[in-house]
Amino acid sequence: MKITDILNQREITVSLELFPPKAGAGFENIKRVVRDCAALSPSFMSVTFGAGGGGSQNTLEVVKEVQHSYGIPALAHLVAVSLGRDDIASLLGDLKSTGINNIMALRGDLPPGVTQNTGYYRYASDLIAEIHRHGDFCVGGGCHPECHPEAATLNQDMENLKIKIDAGCQFLTTQMFFDNNILYNFMYRLLKKGIDVPIVAGVMPVTNAKQIERIFTLAGATVPPRFKAIVDRFCDKPAAMSQAGIAYATEQIIDLIANGVNNIHIYTMNKPEIAEKIMSNLSEIL
């Protein structure tokens, strides 16, 4: 089933994101993660591209596990960075042959010290157009509610998103954010720009101090005062921080759904127990 059909047909969707094992790591742990996430009956599950050097083959193996072993629609990430035309053609052929027809097309993170992608597909929009030349894929893209860090202005970021949509991007999944008003303002700007594809709100449950450091130094997300107070109070108390982070993510999702943002994507960090607690908190809402 295509992701766009799921987003258009269901009143509320909750999807989960996983990452594949690193290069050389075994598959037993990720199989357990997939099993436990599948038990939560998500609308679909996405798998990032070769985390930690795992490579595209690991991504392919995990999406196959999701879709073929558990019957849950799988969304495979593909990135433009470092991949040539033959690489993409081969990957798309592998996905098509295994019945995976949902793809998240991203430029990908540039290597440290590199400021511009010099690969064959310079932008995500180039990759999206290429994917559509290879078959009937459902293609999604990423977006930054607080503006892409490499865009000079919000207007330039909107122009780039419009190019992505015109290239064939059929839905957008947001980068993490911690202030829902930022997302609401972003969605208003999208509509003014004529972008009306489904928006999937990416929610990151922050449950440990190491996660916090990475989010705020690399992702650059704005920290609202209420969330900062939680982090300051509980970051050195692991159990309390986990509980508070789950509660904050739960309240974020409740507010999103109450305001008509009905497509929720949880960045699980391969911790199905956290996703389970959040979904349990929402049992009468979902």
Side-chain angles (χ1 to χ4, degrees):
M1 190 173 191
K2 292 185 176 180
I3 302 300
T4 47
D5 293 333
I6 295 170
L7 298 177
N8 289 324
Q9 292 174 12
R10 300 185 188 179
E11 182 180 0
I12 297 173
T13 69
V14 177
S15 52
L16 305 178
E17 182 165 294
L18 316 176
F19 55 82
K22 295 180 180 180
F27 271 80
E28 288 311 306
N29 183 62
I30 190 62
K31 286 185 176 182
R32 177 192 62 79
V33 170
V34 170
R35 181 199 68 204
D36 292 350
C37 284
L40 302 176
S41 300
S43 304
F44 61 92
M45 291 164 66
S46 72
V47 183
T48 62
F49 188 83
S56 58
Q57 190 60 37
N58 286 358
T59 297
L60 179 62
E61 290 303 315
V62 178
V63 294
K64 286 165 57 179
E65 180 77 5
V66 169
Q67 188 156 306
H68 299 325
S69 296
Y70 296 97
I72 294 173
L75 174 63
H77 288 216
L78 285 185
V79 300
V81 170
S82 303
L83 291 177
R85 199 171 186 179
D86 291 343
D87 298 319
I88 291 297
S90 176
L91 289 169
L92 293 175
D94 288 341
L95 290 168
K96 187 185 297 186
S97 68
T98 56
I100 308 296
N101 61 0
N102 295 300
I103 298 173
M104 174 66 72
L106 306 166
R107 186 199 65 180
D109 295 330
L110 297 176
V114 177
T115 59
Q116 180 174 296
N117 180 19
T118 57
Y120 185 85
Y121 304 100
R122 187 172 180 184
Y123 301 112
S125 55
D126 301 325
L127 179 56
I128 290 166
E130 181 71 10
I131 292 169
H132 282 300
R133 284 192 283 269
H134 282 261
D136 185 25
F137 290 101
C138 174
V139 187
C143 59
H144 291 70
E146 300 185 62
C147 186
H148 193 286
E150 295 174 29
T153 64
L154 286 170
N155 187 61
Q156 183 190 74
D157 192 30
M158 288 288 127
E159 291 291 342
N160 292 338
L161 282 174
K162 188 67 167 61
I163 292 171
K164 190 182 293 187
I165 298 302
D166 291 344
C169 178
Q170 295 159 286
F171 66 95
L172 292 168
T173 301
T174 76
Q175 176 62 276
M176 69 191 75
F177 57 94
F178 299 96
D179 181 345
N180 286 359
N181 288 324
I182 290 172
L183 179 70
Y184 302 144
N185 291 333
F186 174 72
M187 293 178 71
Y188 174 72
R189 294 198 305 271
L190 288 177
L191 289 175
K192 283 189 67 176
K193 202 69 179 177
I195 297 173
D196 61 355
V197 298
I199 305 299
V200 183
V203 175
M204 168 71 84
V206 179
T207 59
N208 63 69
K210 187 176 180 180
Q211 214 178 352
I212 293 164
E213 181 181 351
R214 179 174 177 81
I215 287 168
F216 299 143
T217 57
L218 299 183
T222 296
V223 186
R226 179 168 169 266
F227 187 66
K228 185 177 186 302
I230 290 172
V231 173
D232 290 345
R233 180 67 177 84
F234 301 117
C235 66
D236 59 349
K237 299 177 179 179
M241 186 64 236
S242 179
Q243 189 173 57
I246 289 167
Y248 191 91
T250 299
E251 291 182 13
Q252 249 195 296
I253 294 170
I254 291 171
D255 182 77
L256 289 168
I257 294 173
N259 283 280
V261 180
N262 293 328
N263 301 314
I264 309 298
H265 190 61
I266 301 175
Y267 295 107
T268 71
M269 300 302 292
N270 283 17
K271 294 183 178 180
E273 65 275 11
I274 292 174
E276 190 279 329
K277 289 176 182 176
I278 292 172
M279 294 177 76
S280 176
N281 289 340
L282 301 168
S283 60
E284 299 302 318
I285 294 174
L286 302 179

